[in-house]
Amino acid sequence: MIIADQLRPKNLTEYLLYMWQVEDILRAYGCDSELLRKEYLSRFELDDSCRRKTEQWYADLCEMMRTEGKTEHGHLQINLNTQQKLTELHDRLLRSSHFPYYREMYYKVLPYIVELRTKHADHEAGELQICLEMLYGLLLLRLQKKEISPETERSAKDISTLLGQLSDYYRKDQEAPLEL
């Protein structure tokens, strides 16, 4: 909750990747908020007020996972909505003549997207979804301390740059609508 609250206003892409990680943590604990509280949340040093809020946040997410049938796989609707907001802005930026730098970054990562799509289970997956899944998969590989090829590192850097720029534009668009 604390990290999500910090990431959401700053970088929506990082927030979304963090929330995917939270979904996986919830699944690892069987979406059992009591087990999560005892075995996971108890590790964190939080004051009583923050602990209660955090426990409630995780319990609410567990309930949402169960209600939405996401206990085995998939993403919560709130996260899909966030991804959709980013996708809509991405599409608007690409259509606009006011953001040539963003379009240039996009065309730099497009070959990676095309290659990843050929390996993706859902060949109709959106470009942003493919980019996000690539970065999330890379995060999981790093957590497992697995070797990552220089080519993968290079593509991840370019994709991260694009998504970072998209997040910056999203934040700016929220503050004052961009002229697209």
Side-chain angles (χ1 to χ4, degrees), residues 75-122:
H75 299 297
L76 289 169
Q77 190 61 49
I78 58 170
N79 295 330
L80 294 173
N81 292 346
T82 300
Q83 184 177 329
Q84 183 61 35
K85 289 176 187 177
L86 284 171
T87 298
E88 289 169 3
L89 179 58
H90 168 75
D91 292 342
R92 288 176 28 226
L93 288 167
L94 289 178
R95 286 191 309 266
S96 174
S97 61
H98 298 278
F99 299 92
Y101 177 68
Y102 184 80
R103 195 173 317 122
E104 181 182 314
M105 285 188 297
Y106 166 74
Y107 285 119
K108 185 176 183 179
V109 303
L110 187 56
Y112 304 134
I113 295 169
V114 170
E115 182 180 347
L116 290 166
R117 180 172 278 136
T118 64
K119 299 173 184 177
H120 199 276
D122 177 5

Side-chain angles (χ1 to χ4, degrees), residues 118-174:
T118 64
K119 299 173 184 177
H120 199 276
D122 177 5
H123 295 293
E124 300 300 315
E127 294 173 340
L128 234 51
Q129 178 182 343
I130 288 171
C131 290
L132 289 163
E133 288 178 8
M134 188 271 192
L135 293 180
Y136 189 69
L138 191 62
L139 168 70
L140 295 178
L141 290 174
R142 286 182 176 140
L143 289 172
Q144 297 168 21
K145 300 190 184 324
K146 295 206 173 163
E147 188 175 332
I148 299 164
S149 73
E151 296 82 22
T152 300
E153 290 284 3
R154 202 170 20 263
S155 64
K157 182 178 183 254
D158 291 342
I159 289 171
S160 292
T161 300
L162 176 73
L163 294 180
Q165 187 65 55
L166 177 61
S167 289
D168 286 347
Y169 282 136
Y170 182 84
R171 185 179 38 78
K172 290 175 184 173
D173 192 47
Q174 295 303 298

